[in-house]
Amino acid sequence: MSLLEATKIHKSYGNKFTKQEVLKGIDLTIEKGEFVSIMGASGSGKTTLLNVLSSIDQVSQGSIRIGDTEITAKKEKALAEFRKHHLGFIFQEYNLLDTLTVKENILLPLSIAKMSKKAAQKQFEGIAKDLGIEDIAGKYPSEISGGQKQRTSAARAFIHEPSIIFADEPTGALDSKSASDLLNKLSDLNSKREATIAMVTHDPVAASYSSRVIFIKDGQMYTQLHKGDQTREMFLKDIMTTQGVLGGVHHDA
């Protein structure tokens, strides 16, 4: 059974006189344990799609199910409760609290969930080790690099073991080394913890770390690529070729 199933998703903005249809009937499924990237040119609707799939925004029409929960039918209070327990988020701009240490930022979802200190400490030690940030636990965001901030953000997203992680351009503010460090860690967590990840990216290199890439064009599903048994380098070439056909930005491999 799929973990996430979106059926005939429409999203419009404005009124009947200035209506702008951004998503035009998208059908999408994500299996448990998949690492999926969503790509498309600027204005294609990829970020809007991520926002409605993650319940940050509401659909105009259609149905989204995560696990056994139909999220499009839920009121905001119930949605907030659902997000707290079942969803993790990694944003481009980190969204860390400057007044909290790295460890305190990471532990936030568990303090909200009222987990015991002993259990929370065990969860923290595991995810901090997986992301290579044990040695900066006592530092504040202003004292660490962009790559370390994003790995802290990733640890916060993973620590409560959500059903699915949504990542919005997580490498957008990072240099190439920090980006590859983060993507290798996400790929490892996807394998080791069977974590399900849905990531929006404009970067074919970032997308090549995933197992499937979905291309969006003009608010509709254009095509998708499966990595299968290919090397990451081979998959990257396929992604770049498809992106070129779509009219996206070309990158050197």
Side-chain angles (χ1 to χ4, degrees):
M1 182 172 142
S2 58
L3 175 69
L4 182 151
E5 187 170 354
T7 308
K8 294 184 170 43
I9 298 302
H10 291 261
K11 179 64 183 178
S12 302
Y13 294 100
N15 55 40
K16 63 181 180 181
F17 302 109
T18 61
K19 186 177 178 182
Q20 181 189 4
E21 196 174 13
V22 181
L23 301 178
K24 305 169 184 176
I26 287 179
D27 292 322
L28 170 69
T29 59
I30 297 174
E31 301 298 321
K32 179 172 170 47
E34 256 199 305
F35 185 173
V36 176
S37 289
I38 300 169
M39 297 191 77
S42 180
S44 61
K46 61 184 185 296
T47 298
T48 301
L49 177 60
L50 191 81
N51 287 344
V52 297
L53 292 178
S54 64
S55 77
I56 289 174
D57 202 355
Q58 293 183 324
V59 298
S60 303
Q61 190 181 326
S63 161
I64 300 169
R65 175 186 58 76
I66 298 177
D68 296 326
T69 303
E70 168 61 52
I71 66 168
T72 43
K74 284 189 169 292
K75 297 283 191 288
E76 186 50 49
K77 189 175 179 182
L79 262 184
E81 194 67 19
F82 179 79
R83 275 188 220 108
K84 185 168 41 172
H85 295 288
H86 297 284
L87 307 183
F89 295 90
I90 307 172
F91 300 100
Q92 182 175 332
E93 298 300 330
Y94 322 127
N95 284 20
L96 300 177
L97 297 177
D98 293 335
T99 55
L100 300 183
T101 64
V102 163
K103 182 177 180 179
E104 289 166 344
N105 266 288
I106 293 169
L107 286 172
L108 267 178
L110 299 188
S111 61
I112 293 168
K114 298 182 172 61
M115 182 179 281
S116 73
K117 281 190 175 180
K118 186 177 179 181
Q121 178 63 23
K122 187 177 178 183
Q123 291 281 84
F124 169 76
E125 288 171 359
I127 196 65
K129 183 179 179 183
D130 284 346
L131 281 157
I133 50 176
E134 312 105 303
D135 58 335
I136 60 166
K139 293 189 174 182
Y140 289 89
S142 60
E143 301 173 311
I144 61 178
S145 69
Q148 290 170 324
K149 287 177 186 176
Q150 196 58 300
R151 278 184 279 148
T152 299
S153 176
R156 181 185 58 194
F158 277 93
I159 195 166
H160 61 302
E161 298 179 342
S163 301
I164 186 168
I165 305 278
F166 292 102
D168 187 5
E169 299 279 9
T171 61
L174 304 180
D175 60 65
S176 58
K177 184 186 183 303
S178 297
S180 63
D181 285 348
L182 175 71
L183 290 161
N184 276 311
K185 297 292 187 189
L186 290 182
S187 184
D188 289 345
L189 287 166
N190 170 244
S191 301
K192 180 179 175 181
R193 297 182 175 227
E194 293 187 342
T196 309
I197 304 169
M199 174 176 75
V200 158
T201 182
H202 69 279
D203 182 3
V205 175
S208 70
Y209 283 82
S210 57
S211 54
R212 177 164 59 113
V213 181
I214 295 166
F215 292 89
I216 305 297
K217 182 177 183 180
D218 299 329
Q220 294 179 306
M221 184 93 77
Y222 175 74
T223 190
Q224 56 183 320
L225 297 175
H226 293 265
K227 183 179 181 184
D229 296 328
Q230 292 182 97
T231 63
R232 193 175 67 77
E233 289 73 21
M234 290 166 65
F235 193 37
L236 173 58
K237 286 183 179 177
D238 283 353
I239 294 166
M240 291 171 67
T241 299
T242 304
Q243 191 181 39
V245 172
L246 265 174
V249 179
H250 286 276
H251 294 257
D252 292 327

